[in-house]
Amino acid sequence: MAKRIVRGVSWFVLFAAGFFALAHATNYSLWINGRTGGGQLGNHADFSYWGPATTNAGVNKKSVNWDGYNHVSDQNYLVRDALDCYCTGQNWCYIAVHSAGNLQIGYSLAMYGGTSRMVKNATPNSQGQCGNLNGSSQTGWNIKWVDVSGGAAGGSELADAGDWALDEPLVSDLKTSTARAMYDHSSTRATWFNMYAGASGTVYSFVLPGQDDEVVAYHSSGGVSGSGNGSFCNPSDWFCNDLTLGTAKNEGGRAKWAYHTVAYRDSTESYNHYTSGNWGGITGRVRADMEANAR
């Protein structure tokens, strides 16, 4: 009889331990800004780049602020700190990025996604760094998927043409040839990138080939692979190849990077690049998806 009681207690302890671990698993929504920055570095509650912090933008949303000015490689530690904080151990993350934030998360996964990461306690200090939870480690991060609005991982011809200040370190990263050679864009550690491509364009965006959102062209926001940029448009437009939805090759045969899918193509030419301090432009489509599906 005593053995049966002890065995029952043992199973209860194991069950309780398992329940306790599951009960403390938490999902987070991380938002990574683009060029110009705006949020306080290390302050994951500062959403000034995006819009009102009270806006629903996914479960347990956090703003991963980097300065949006210096080289991606120099600022990437801030992104890795946030990924370590919220996307290790029992915790999982949904990621949303805008513009050059696409370079930041792509760089993180390609360059550091196969490295050993300490499991953190999800309680950041003022620098945005979290303490070790229990001394354990893991390889890479727990990421469910990445939503990308106006992604600049393929670079922008505005940087090529000198439309931005050439002494700004990030501008040199955003040149199309540099951005595409910065890391292996297909090395996402099997994490899917859902691309949202805007196409409102404007009169001064003639330097951008094909369809564009005033800052990046479809070849970048649509995740089109290769070392060159290329001209891609909506199906109704002539004189350039169609950017296809999903993972299918684009008209003309150019493929998308591995684990990249076009989730939204702005066929009505309604969305520009800018958040405008109110979750605006093509970011509005990503925010709606995060609200609905990042749970």
Side-chain angles (χ1 to χ4, degrees):
M1 182 69 176
K3 288 183 178 179
R4 292 177 66 183
I5 293 173
V6 170
R7 186 177 299 163
V9 170
S10 298
W11 278 109
F12 175 78
V13 170
L14 289 173
F15 173 81
F19 178 80
F20 182 83
L22 289 173
H24 283 74
T26 305
N27 291 340
Y28 293 92
S29 300
L30 305 189
W31 287 81
I32 305 175
N33 63 268
R35 181 174 172 265
T36 71
Q40 180 184 8
L41 305 189
N43 182 354
H44 298 159
D46 185 350
F47 279 83
S48 55
Y49 176 89
W50 304 98
T54 53
T55 301
N56 191 336
V59 61
N60 297 318
K61 66 181 185 296
K62 305 292 181 180
S63 186
V64 183
N65 295 311
W66 61 288
D67 70 6
Y69 175 84
N70 284 295
H71 288 299
V72 168
S73 58
D74 293 337
Q75 289 285 294
N76 190 250
Y77 74 95
L78 291 161
V79 177
R80 298 197 305 273
D81 283 347
L83 294 173
D84 289 344
C85 270
Y86 303 111
C87 318
T88 55
Q90 297 292 323
N91 300 333
W92 283 77
C93 290
Y94 302 92
I95 311 292
V97 304
H98 177 233
S99 193
N102 188 185
L103 281 171
Q104 284 287 11
I105 189 60
Y107 184 90
S108 298
L109 290 173
M111 305 300 287
Y112 297 96
T115 63
S116 178
R117 318 303 304 178
M118 295 300 295
V119 174
K120 300 294 184 177
N121 60 13
T123 305
N125 60 20
S126 60
Q127 284 74 49
Q129 299 170 329
C130 293
N132 294 338
L133 180 63
N134 53 19
S136 64
S137 63
Q138 66 178 65
T139 300
W141 300 284
N142 307 328
I143 299 175
K144 291 180 178 289
W145 36 254
V146 179
D147 274 0
V148 183
S149 64
S156 172
E157 287 75 11
L158 296 183
D160 296 346
D163 283 40
W164 295 322
L166 295 179
D167 61 347
E168 183 180 328
L170 181 61
V171 169
S172 63
D173 286 353
L174 286 170
K175 292 181 177 179
T176 53
S177 59
T178 304
R180 289 175 172 275
M182 189 179 296
Y183 58 88
D184 181 358
H185 290 52
S186 290
S187 181
T188 70
R189 312 295 169 176
T191 299
W192 280 98
F193 281 48
N194 306 310
M195 312 302 290
Y196 288 72
S200 68
T202 191
V203 292
Y204 62 75
S205 61
F206 62 90
V207 300
L208 297 165
Q211 217 80 50
D212 67 86
D213 64 6
E214 301 184 26
V215 174
V216 294
Y218 265 7
H219 71 79
S220 183
S221 60
V224 180
S225 68
S227 57
N229 40 27
S231 181
F232 296 90
C233 294
N234 292 320
S236 60
D237 295 327
W238 295 359
F239 309 119
C240 57
N241 290 319
D242 294 352
L243 176 72
T244 58
L245 293 170
T247 60
K249 286 185 177 181
N250 300 292
E251 185 181 21
R254 284 276 292 277
K256 301 176 179 78
W257 285 305
Y259 294 98
H260 285 65
T261 181
V262 174
Y264 180 81
R265 179 188 62 207
D266 186 12
S267 297
T268 61
E269 303 180 17
S270 301
Y271 297 97
N272 67 16
H273 190 78
Y274 306 105
T275 61
S276 300
N278 195 30
W279 304 91
I282 192 63
T283 293
R285 300 291 307 202
V286 163
R287 190 211 60 77
D289 184 67
M290 294 289 283
E291 178 183 11
N293 298 306
R295 300 182 180 278

